[in-house]
Amino acid sequence: MRIDVRMPQFGESAAEASVVAWLVKPGDTVAAEQELVEVQTEKSLLTVAAPAAGVLAEAVVAAGQSVAVGDVLAFIEVPAGSAPPAPSPQRPAPPPPPPPPPAPTGLPAQPVRRSEPSIRASWGEGAFISPAVRARLASAGIKVADLSVIPGSGAGGRITVQDIDRYLAQGEAMTPVRQAVAKAMERSWARPLATVARSMSMDRLLEHRRTLPGRPSATIYGLRALALALRGNPLACKLYGHRLVTPSSIDLAVAVEVADGVVTPVVRGVERIALAELTTAVETIIEKARAGRVADLGEAVGSVSNYGVFGIDWATPIPLPGHAVILGLGAPRSTPEWDPAIKGWGRARTAEVTLTFDHRIADGGAAGRLLRDVVDLMEHPEKL
């Protein structure tokens, strides 16, 4: 029987991608999860894998063509009875908001008066925005508020299209990755976010990592601790409209710095992966991310940002749109500690830990308990 290979949803903002190259050709035998085709989104070069073992019967989309999420890329001929299960139905869209109540009867409608916005040149003279300037603003993605930094050369200090073009020529175009990061941060910042923080002892964790193959980093311990602590916590949810949906597994993203931005590949079911295996999985996705070959940028509950690798003690990273939380890990520091055994001062290694969360999903109590549980697990790594 023949099954189709469709363009997956790589991240919440990716609506389409371009086919770069096919890694197999029609007639080739392919294994389940084998990479079939490279596609380019606005963020990265990704690969689409085979959903089942079989023979590539047909490649529907040629290299260089764009394809939308959900469109068919290829067909695979598989033995009868070996096709993968059908995907679960899509979540119903939230109902539209009710229409506004009608105006009270008996009162005449009042016309809405809108004043024409004006701009002010750098030396203080005001001028109205012409239609040509408005069109140029729209095409360049410039807000009216941004015009305050552009000197006007027109009559009375009016800003002209040529002034805008000269201003833009001084800048540098954002890369696709940087644009994608900017759009994601704008969407995320539209939510009410809050941060809780506390100190954490690092001594046991640093000793424990020496006993494991691969010597897991603080990021690995943070991922595992966050996944275990999220089980049963109200922040282990995703918000769709006015409904909170609890996922079947704790999927977490890892913030990876690349040449011109940050990508956040996802690790699925972190609560079911032991530390040693998680170390290998994360190292693999980080290596692929820095090579521009991220395999999974889909939805997740939260993420971990280890800004301590830059020597930063404390920060408030912003969770991605759709993520409920982001755990931030600061750099370890040596601090004085009273040792009752010797009745004297010793040295302890501590780090600051932050948890930024979507305040619509839960309140500070849930966030505080979540951070408490994360710290307890990281201070007692044998529980991980």
Side-chain angles (χ1 to χ4, degrees):
M1 62 179 297
R2 179 177 282 200
I3 63 172
D4 51 49
V5 180
R6 294 182 178 272
M7 175 65 190
Q9 174 75 59
F10 288 118
E12 298 181 359
S13 62
E16 64 177 9
S18 298
V19 172
V20 176
W22 284 92
L23 307 178
V24 295
K25 61 182 183 296
D28 288 350
T29 300
V30 297
E33 302 301 324
Q34 179 179 341
E35 295 179 340
L36 299 179
V37 58
E38 291 181 339
V39 296
Q40 177 72 52
T41 69
E42 63 179 2
K43 278 194 172 186
S44 188
L45 180 67
L46 310 168
T47 57
V48 178
V55 175
L56 183 67
E58 180 184 358
V60 178
V61 185
Q65 289 184 311
S66 294
V67 58
V69 170
D71 284 355
V72 175
L73 291 166
F75 293 101
I76 295 179
E77 195 72 34
V78 300
S82 63
S88 57
Q90 296 291 321
R91 287 183 296 270
T105 58
L107 295 177
Q110 297 294 323
V112 178
R113 298 185 179 273
R114 301 184 182 276
S115 59
E116 183 75 8
S118 62
I119 55 177
R120 188 170 296 275
S122 59
W123 47 273
E125 294 294 331
F128 288 110
I129 305 176
S130 70
V133 170
R134 288 186 183 278
R136 187 67 184 98
L137 294 179
S139 65
I142 300 177
K143 300 177 181 178
V144 173
D146 298 330
L147 295 177
S148 61
V149 299
I150 302 178
S153 62
R158 179 177 296 145
I159 295 176
T160 67
V161 172
Q162 290 73 25
D163 294 330
I164 297 174
D165 290 339
R166 279 192 294 270
Y167 180 75
L168 292 175
Q170 300 171 6
E172 182 179 351
M174 295 175 71
T175 64
V177 172
R178 192 69 251 166
Q179 291 180 44
V181 172
K183 292 176 182 177
M185 291 299 97
E186 283 183 356
R187 295 198 310 275
S188 191
W189 197 247
R191 302 176 293 167
L193 301 174
T195 301
V196 293
R198 59 172 293 173
S199 295
M200 173 182 69
S201 173
M202 293 287 290
D203 288 323
R204 287 190 181 183
L205 187 151
L206 295 174
E207 293 173 4
H208 186 268
R209 69 185 296 265
R210 300 191 187 100
T211 67
L212 295 180
R215 293 201 174 188
S217 65
T219 302
I220 306 297
Y221 282 93
L223 281 168
R224 178 72 174 155
L226 180 60
L228 295 180
L230 275 168
R231 295 183 300 184
N233 189 282
L235 283 165
C237 289
K238 291 185 70 65
L239 182 62
Y240 298 101
H242 296 292
R243 292 183 177 274
L244 291 171
V245 178
T246 302
S248 58
S249 65
I250 305 298
D251 305 329
L252 298 176
V254 183
V256 181
E257 186 182 30
V258 293
D260 50 359
V262 175
V263 293
T264 50
V266 177
V267 183
R268 303 291 172 186
V270 179
E271 79 280 11
R272 300 189 297 268
I273 307 176
L275 277 173
E277 290 75 18
L278 186 60
T279 301
T280 302
V282 172
E283 287 178 350
T284 299
I285 67 172
I286 289 177
E287 181 180 351
K288 287 186 175 181
R290 288 175 177 162
R293 298 177 60 89
V294 181
D296 190 348
L297 286 171
E299 294 187 350
V301 175
S303 58
V304 173
S305 176
N306 185 5
Y307 46 77
V309 298
F310 304 108
I312 298 172
D313 296 333
W314 202 92
T316 55
I318 302 173
L320 286 171
H323 289 198
V325 297
I326 183 169
L327 179 71
L329 304 174
R333 292 284 186 259
S334 293
T335 57
E337 182 182 60
W338 178 259
D339 187 348
I342 62 173
K343 295 183 179 180
W345 290 95
R347 306 292 293 180
R349 287 165 294 184
T350 62
E352 298 296 321
V353 188
T354 61
L355 184 82
T356 301
F357 64 100
D358 188 336
H359 215 323
R360 301 173 302 172
I361 296 177
D363 297 321
R369 287 186 290 272
L370 176 60
L371 185 58
R372 176 201 63 195
D373 294 343
V374 168
V375 169
D376 178 71
L377 288 167
M378 295 185 73
E379 289 184 336
H380 300 86
E382 65 278 2
K383 297 179 181 180
L384 299 172

